[in-house]
Amino acid sequence: MTLPRLSAALFSETNSLSVGPLLPWRQRQHAVSPRIAHLGIGAFHRAHLAWYTDALMHAGGDDPWPWAIMGVSLRSPEVAAQLNPQQGLYTLQQSSASSTSQQLIQSVLGVLVAPQDPAAVIALLGARTTDIISLTVTEKGYCLDLVSRQLDFAHPDIVFDLAHPSTPRSAIGYLVAGLAERFAKGYPAPTILCCDNLPQNGVTLARLVTQFAEKLNPDLAAWISAQVAFPSSMVDRIVPATTQADIEVLAAETGYLDLAMVKTEQFSQWVIEDKFAGARPAWEQVGALLVQDVAPFEHAKLRLLNGAHSALAYLGTLSGYSYVHQVVADPLFGRYLRHLMTQELMPTLLVDGEAPAGLDLPAYIDALLQRFANPALAHRTMQIAMDGSQKLPQRLLAAAEQRLQAGQSVDAICFAVAGWLRFSMGFDAKGDALEVSDPLAARLLEIRLVHWDHIDELVGEYLKLSQVFAPALVAYPQFAQRLTYWLSYILANGVPTALQSLLLEVQDYAAAPRLATLGGSAR
Ligand code: CS2
């Protein structure tokens, strides 16, 4: 039997849907104009900002002017094909280890596909009624040089967009085109809300947008600097990619086919800098935290959650694990991840030996390990392994630099970085091919092919990738030395054996001060 597709009409045709009902504004016939435009409407957005906004719609009753979202896909028409026939409706499935629940999300109106109609996207971003432009375009979507933290003017999309500002390709090009419309028409400036895992994401995005605009029109750039708000935000929710099997299981349970469903965990966190240019949804009413300074939350999340995630993705894949929960169920990995987080990453978050106010870091680490262990998520290590060159600087390498500056060891971090380099070689321990999806994949492969038989040269060449490894980090000889040590260990013995050796070494290391303290108190 063919099941009906999820759609607004389905709610009037049947009264047996387990999700719903439709919100009153959804049932009215007149068109609603979006107040939020979202660039990069992937699964993460649908489980995060759109979910908070939907919760607010439910909490707020019959809002005459709801905070509806129009999504934009910057590249592929896939999400539009999933969501538009469903009038933007989709099911969000939350799973813990023991229970699963589904809800209908109604905050999204539809999706525009930028390459199909750039003018429509620019009109959306430039509309007076669009109060907020939010983004989840992944780390690489910003055309950012991660080490200098400036716009990469050599990036092919930026070169193209500066030459064709009315038919851009990049998120930055679209933002500036939309802002230019508003500036020309004298409309009020919007808020641009970055929801990607980048440090100081608001400040960073403001810099990129202004640098791009400066090349086109210095007056526009000055207006952007003065008027547009770019709050920083820390976003957190684990959202594995939806599979065909997930869609089929949901269909069997609900009786409808939802090609846009998303699955996620019960946990969600959103910390937003309270700095908006105009009106904003009262997201704090549905669990978001509006604060003056996002930095402590963002650092803790990027280094502990995302740092550990990247480490387990590379090392786990190389050890034959396909899913995150399998990796953390292996006691060897459990010990390693705890060590990495508590001994090497957490200390970099302390200010004068104290955790920032409001953060209980050991409890946060415990909670992370539990979240990673959730088998219902079936979160693939290969999903996290994507784009390592774009992720490692803020997740692991900044912490390594900070530790080296303080004269501290970096073995567990170097072990994870060695895992990434070993993964980027493109084959696993059995010699089977691994798909390396990374803007630097070709360069990483070339380095491996040319310098394969000389480990010091090999690591030396990797460390010349200055968009990943900051010169200030590479200046510490200990970094290259520990990285070389662990990469050669992994190459010779495989990850699990190397990991055992690392844990033995660091155990001694951790035990030493404790023995000294005991000796001291006995005297
Ligand atoms: C993950 C993140 O894919 C990845 O790189 O580390 O998407 C992670 O799941 C989220 O940041 C969790 O908030």
Side-chain angles (χ1 to χ4, degrees), residues 79-97:
V79 181
Q82 292 163 351
L83 273 171
N84 288 345
Q86 303 182 179
Q87 296 82 46
L89 299 172
Y90 61 95
T91 319
L92 178 131
Q93 178 168 295
Q94 295 188 146
S95 299
S96 71

Side-chain angles (χ1 to χ4, degrees), residues 44 197 235-239 301 305-306 309 371 379 383-384 391 395:
F44 181 78
N197 288 316
V235 294
D236 186 8
R237 197 165 209 191
I238 294 174
V239 188
K301 194 263 171 169
L305 189 157
N306 297 115
H309 241 181
R371 288 171 63 196
H379 194 189
Q383 183 182 339
I384 305 167
K391 294 175 174 172
R395 294 182 177 202

Side-chain angles (χ1 to χ4, degrees), residues 125-380:
L125 305 183
R128 185 197 274 278
T129 42
T130 304
D131 290 299
I132 296 176
I133 303 170
S134 53
L135 297 92
T136 46
V137 295
T138 80
E139 293 85 344
K140 66 171 177 266
Y142 291 88
C143 308
L144 161 72
D145 180 322
L146 284 158
V147 169
S148 72
R149 315 223 37 89
Q150 310 295 315
L151 185 64
D152 178 3
F153 280 106
H155 192 292
D157 288 354
I158 296 300
V159 173
F160 181 91
D161 290 0
L162 282 170
H164 309 90
S166 56
T167 53
R169 288 179 180 162
S170 72
I172 303 296
Y174 272 107
L175 288 174
V176 174
L179 292 172
E181 288 237 336
R182 298 168 90 115
F183 178 60
K185 293 181 178 153
Y187 289 169
T191 297
I192 300 187
L193 179 55
C194 178
C195 299
D196 275 298
N197 288 316
L198 290 169
Q200 297 191 302
N201 57 11
V203 180
T204 305
L205 182 55
R207 184 183 315 121
L208 304 178
V209 167
T210 316
Q211 286 180 340
F212 185 96
E214 234 148 43
K215 296 271 183 199
L216 294 177
N217 176 353
D219 293 338
L220 170 64
W223 177 78
I224 293 173
S225 297
Q227 304 287 331
V228 180
F230 291 88
S232 284
S233 85
M234 180 278 250
V235 294
D236 186 8
R237 197 165 209 191
I238 294 174
V239 188
T242 307
T243 64
Q244 186 56 34
D246 296 325
I247 293 173
E248 283 163 19
V249 170
L250 182 76
E253 272 179 38
T254 59
Y256 61 72
L257 193 64
D258 177 358
L259 298 188
M261 73 164 285
V262 287
K263 60 172 188 182
T264 186
E265 59 183 337
Q266 284 171 345
F267 180 91
S268 182
Q269 196 177 16
W270 195 13
V271 186
I272 312 164
E273 184 184 2
D274 197 357
K275 188 177 81 173
F276 285 71
R280 68 163 174 84
W283 282 313
E284 69 277 19
Q285 286 179 14
V286 288
L289 206 57
L290 274 292
V291 300
Q292 293 309 308
D293 184 12
V294 175
F297 296 94
E298 169 203 274
H299 267 120
K301 194 263 171 169
L302 275 174
R303 292 190 184 179
L304 294 173
L305 189 157
N306 297 115
H309 241 181
S310 288
L312 73 83
Y314 301 115
L315 298 168
T317 304
L318 290 167
S319 307
Y321 293 123
S322 303
Y323 297 100
V324 173
H325 65 273
Q326 297 171 331
V327 184
V328 294
D330 178 331
L332 194 59
F333 276 92
R335 277 171 59 207
Y336 165 70
L337 291 170
R338 196 171 274 286
H339 175 85
L340 172 71
M341 289 196 272
T342 53
Q343 302 300 316
E344 292 199 6
L345 299 175
M346 187 177 84
T348 68
L349 302 167
L350 306 180
V351 182
D352 298 329
E354 304 272 339
L359 283 177
D360 179 346
L361 296 173
Y364 186 64
I365 292 171
D366 286 343
L368 288 181
L369 287 167
Q370 270 187 24
R371 288 171 63 196
F372 294 165
N374 182 352
L377 290 179
H379 194 189
R380 296 188 76 85

Side-chain angles (χ1 to χ4, degrees), residues 21-93:
L22 287 186
L23 288 161
W25 68 265
R26 279 264 178 195
Q27 293 165 19
R28 289 194 292 265
Q29 291 307 308
H30 62 80
V32 165
S33 50
R35 300 180 74 181
I36 301 176
H38 185 82
L39 303 185
I41 180 159
F44 181 78
H45 170 73
R46 281 178 275 152
H48 201 263
L49 189 151
W51 175 78
Y52 282 95
T53 308
D54 175 83
L56 193 59
M57 286 172 170
H58 280 88
D62 187 8
D63 189 339
W65 195 19
W67 281 96
I69 303 166
M70 180 58 78
V72 175
S73 283
L74 289 170
R75 305 227 180 278
S76 118
E78 203 181 324
V79 181
Q82 292 163 351
L83 273 171
N84 288 345
Q86 303 182 179
Q87 296 82 46
L89 299 172
Y90 61 95
T91 319
L92 178 131
Q93 178 168 295

Side-chain angles (χ1 to χ4, degrees), residues 449-470:
L449 291 174
V450 177
H451 300 279
W452 176 242
D453 46 10
H454 196 301
I455 188 77
D456 290 315
E457 257 177 51
L458 181 70
V459 172
E461 287 302 312
Y462 284 136
L463 294 182
K464 285 186 197 155
L465 298 169
S466 60
Q467 60 276 64
V468 181
F469 299 105

